[in-house]
Amino acid sequence: MSTESYQTPLNTRYSSKEMQFNFSDQKKFSTWRQLWLYLAQAEQQLGLEITNEQLKEMEENLNKIDFKLAAEEEKKVRHDVMAHVHTFGVACPKAAPIIHLGATSCYVGDNADLIMLKDGLDILLPKLARVISRLSDFAKEFKDLPTLGFTHLQPAQLTTVGKRACLWLQELVMDEQNIRLARDSLRFRGVKGTTGTQASFLQLFDGDHEKVKKLNSLVTEKAGFASSFIITGQTYTRKVDTDVMARLSSFGATAHKICTDIRLLASRKEIEEPFEKSQIGSSAMAYKRNPMRSERVCSLARHLMGLMSNTLNTQSVQWMERTLDDSANRRITLAEAFLTADAVLTTLQNITEGLVVYPKVIERYIAQELPFMATENFIMEMVKQGGDRQECHEQIRVLSHQAGDVVKKEGKDNDLIERIRKCEYFAPIHSQIDNLMDAKTFVGRAPEQVTEFLVEEVDPVLKMYEGKLEGTVSLAV
């Protein structure tokens, strides 16, 4: 790795080797060569004078790319596709006359991009499923553990730790569905020519429309796609990039929300992400245990969400059949989106495999707030014992405000329960106060909701990835 020129941290620090390879020059240009071979094979099958010897020569040189020669040629001709046509032709002198026959640059450029998008989504989906699997286990384990719920970031009714995890899971399950749909909806650009009319191929086949249609279907099938676009300009519509990016950036929002919650809970010491034995939280404050993994996810997720505007803007300015101002932007945006999503998923899996819960801390927070939450139960029980609801409400209101002043002004613990125990008015329910204060009676159907959700919505998703959910993640940094 060079230390004297910029290297993207997405490669040097965060993303996986498999995703880096998916957007590498080796993958890109060997895919171009594979596409040229597919085209030549189909053209031969439909009657053009292409020999088996030429096809064999091409096949033997799919991965033997002289990148130095290609760079020198591109510097001369200022055209990356023609530079690689020349470079492939040098490696395959017998096949050189028929390489790229009838095609335009977007035959290799756009079709290769679609292949890399599909392969990239195939890398991401099992990783997303593994995160869903880990969080599913976490939700199941803690489905019954009461914890303070928060609305407006203020303590509200109790929920459970597992139920909160299901809020995260629900969005991840939606992301899996969205990304899988994007992957399954991808179509091949196919064999279309310079403005999408297939005019050059119609010329090659002497006006035989059926052969041109067959050529397109043969190449589409060889490339592993079920269908191709009937209508294109020179390029496939850049709305495809927008749609794929929308799914990835939406996942970025999910990841940001999850890890923001974890960071907030870590500040309360209720939950911690994994923290290694030799890990340092702060260069100055040796005692700190910062949630650096969750902070990294939020940081990367913001980048992923921000890339969405690039694809929208690029799609919107594709004049007529095509303009080239998409090219440089797409070279950066598409690869960075997949590398970033990959890095977020890798880090998120690491986090969800090592989340630590501190029940005693959670209990202490509940104890501070539960007396106020329990007052409605006290009122209901007093009414059952023959009390007046309005009078009971007023007694509770006065005692609650007194207890609140103790907490806010004196910094002491909430003593509302002690005040109720000492208040003669509430004598009819004194013996029931402990039962009325059981935190598990305040979580409603949260545990049942967790079970129902995991069985009905999460398990069917995980079933699609059987055999791909194993393995743990260790972060390089």
Side-chain angles (χ1 to χ4, degrees):
M1 182 179 71
S2 172
T3 58
E4 296 182 1
S5 62
Y6 175 76
Q7 307 289 323
T8 172
L10 288 170
N11 278 357
T12 60
R13 295 177 68 87
Y14 303 130
S15 63
S16 67
K17 295 299 181 185
E18 58 184 339
M19 189 62 81
Q20 290 176 35
F21 176 76
N22 190 56
F23 289 94
S24 67
D25 283 351
Q26 180 65 41
K27 168 72 178 281
K28 176 179 178 178
F29 296 119
S30 64
T31 301
W32 283 15
R33 292 188 174 191
Q34 186 70 68
L35 287 164
W36 281 319
L37 177 60
Y38 291 154
L39 180 62
Q41 289 171 334
E43 288 173 336
Q44 183 204 51
Q45 187 175 335
L46 292 170
L48 295 188
E49 292 186 8
I50 295 172
T51 67
N52 289 335
E53 188 178 15
Q54 288 173 312
L55 297 179
K56 185 173 186 294
E57 189 180 49
M58 293 173 73
E59 194 167 3
E60 289 173 347
N61 286 278
L62 292 178
N63 295 302
K64 300 172 185 176
I65 303 171
D66 187 339
F67 287 102
K68 182 179 179 182
L69 176 61
E72 291 171 352
E73 189 68 18
E74 185 174 356
K75 188 172 182 180
K76 285 192 293 185
V77 301
R78 302 294 179 186
H79 196 291
D80 58 350
V81 173
M82 287 310 299
H84 277 271
V85 168
H86 173 79
T87 303
F88 198 17
V90 169
C92 307
K94 295 174 184 176
I98 55 91
I99 292 172
H100 200 65
L101 182 58
T104 188
S105 299
C106 286
Y107 167 69
V108 288
D110 271 32
N111 283 323
D113 284 348
L114 288 163
I115 289 170
M116 288 189 288
L117 291 181
K118 182 161 70 75
D119 291 349
L121 294 174
D122 282 339
I123 292 170
L124 293 179
L125 280 166
K127 294 188 177 190
L128 177 53
R130 285 193 282 274
V131 174
I132 292 171
S133 172
R134 307 311 185 261
L135 263 183
S136 176
D137 292 341
F138 179 86
K140 191 179 301 181
E141 180 179 356
F142 295 103
K143 68 176 182 178
D144 296 309
L145 181 61
T147 190
L148 282 178
F150 285 86
T151 58
H152 313 276
L153 202 54
Q154 303 299 313
Q157 277 192 339
L158 298 190
T159 182
T160 69
V161 172
K163 171 65 188 295
R164 178 175 287 138
C166 286
L167 297 179
W168 306 336
L169 266 171
Q170 179 167 249
E171 295 191 13
L172 290 171
V173 167
M174 293 170 70
D175 289 320
E176 187 280 334
Q177 182 181 37
N178 290 340
I179 294 172
R180 177 163 42 87
L181 180 61
R183 189 258 183 233
D184 293 345
S185 300
L186 283 177
R187 286 187 279 173
F188 203 50
R189 175 192 176 273
V191 181
K192 295 296 191 294
T194 55
T195 58
T197 65
Q198 299 176 304
S200 58
F201 295 104
L202 199 60
Q203 180 70 28
L204 268 179
F205 290 102
D206 300 320
D208 190 329
H209 288 262
E210 290 307 312
K211 280 192 174 182
V212 175
K213 288 171 64 177
K214 184 64 174 177
L215 177 71
N216 185 72
S217 63
L218 284 172
V219 174
T220 297
E221 184 179 352
K222 287 176 181 291
F225 285 79
S227 64
S228 66
F229 288 101
I230 297 173
I231 296 296
T232 72
Q234 187 174 93
T235 69
Y236 69 78
T237 170
R238 297 307 183 220
K239 193 172 185 68
V240 173
D241 297 344
T242 299
D243 285 349
V244 170
M245 184 65 73
R247 317 302 171 93
L248 297 184
S249 62
S250 179
F251 160 69
T254 297
H256 200 295
K257 183 267 191 295
I258 292 170
C259 287
T260 299
D261 282 357
I262 291 172
R263 291 164 65 191
L264 291 169
L265 293 167
S267 75
R268 294 168 57 83
K269 296 181 173 56
E270 294 187 29
I271 287 180
E272 275 187 348
E273 64 177 35
F275 196 91
E276 295 167 20
K277 186 176 181 180
S278 59
Q279 183 174 329
I280 296 173
S282 168
S283 61
M285 295 167 280
Y287 59 87
K288 292 197 76 180
R289 294 168 68 94
N290 298 332
M292 53 80 67
R293 291 167 172 81
S294 296
E295 290 172 319
R296 177 183 298 174
V297 166
C298 289
S299 184
L300 290 169
R302 284 201 304 275
H303 178 59
L304 180 56
M305 290 185 282
L307 291 172
M308 182 75 225
S309 63
N310 276 350
T311 52
L312 287 168
N313 287 322
T314 297
Q315 178 197 341
S316 71
V317 297
Q318 289 306 288
W319 304 341
M320 311 301 181
E321 279 65 48
R322 192 267 168 96
T323 59
L324 194 61
D325 64 350
D326 65 337
S327 179
N329 189 294
R330 292 177 71 252
R331 289 174 193 264
I332 298 167
T333 299
L334 295 180
E336 286 208 352
F338 277 82
L339 291 167
T340 304
D342 179 80
V344 169
L345 279 168
T346 298
T347 311
L348 201 52
Q349 181 180 338
N350 179 263
I351 292 170
T352 54
E353 286 175 345
L355 278 177
V356 179
V357 177
Y358 294 105
K360 293 299 181 183
V361 175
I362 294 172
E363 286 176 17
R364 180 162 54 84
Y365 280 122
I366 290 174
Q368 292 172 0
E369 302 294 339
L370 193 58
F372 295 129
M373 298 178 189
T375 54
E376 185 67 17
N377 285 7
F378 296 163
I379 292 172
M380 294 301 101
E381 196 58 36
M382 282 293 294
V383 171
K384 288 180 183 179
Q385 300 289 336
D388 180 284
R389 191 266 176 197
Q390 313 312 328
E391 182 181 356
C392 185
H393 183 279
E394 178 60 19
Q395 292 281 344
I396 289 287
R397 186 190 69 82
V398 171
L399 294 178
S400 295
H401 283 230
Q402 292 171 354
D405 283 344
V406 169
V407 172
K408 295 174 184 177
K409 296 178 180 179
E410 300 178 29
K412 296 180 181 179
D413 291 337
N414 188 334
D415 65 355
L416 176 58
I417 299 304
E418 291 307 310
R419 291 176 183 273
I420 291 174
R421 290 185 192 278
K422 293 176 181 178
C423 180
E424 188 61 30
Y425 176 81
F426 290 100
I429 65 166
H430 281 169
S431 62
Q432 300 175 57
I433 285 178
D434 288 341
N435 288 335
L436 294 172
M437 287 282 292
D438 183 357
K440 290 188 176 181
T441 66
F442 289 82
V443 300
R445 295 193 67 252
E448 291 75 17
Q449 288 177 342
V450 170
T451 300
E452 291 166 12
F453 174 64
L454 295 181
V455 170
E456 295 179 25
E457 298 192 32
V458 177
D459 289 350
V461 172
L462 296 179
K463 189 172 179 59
M464 293 188 289
Y465 296 91
E466 285 181 349
K468 299 180 180 179
L469 300 176
E470 294 74 22
T472 59
V473 165
S474 296
L475 301 182
V477 290

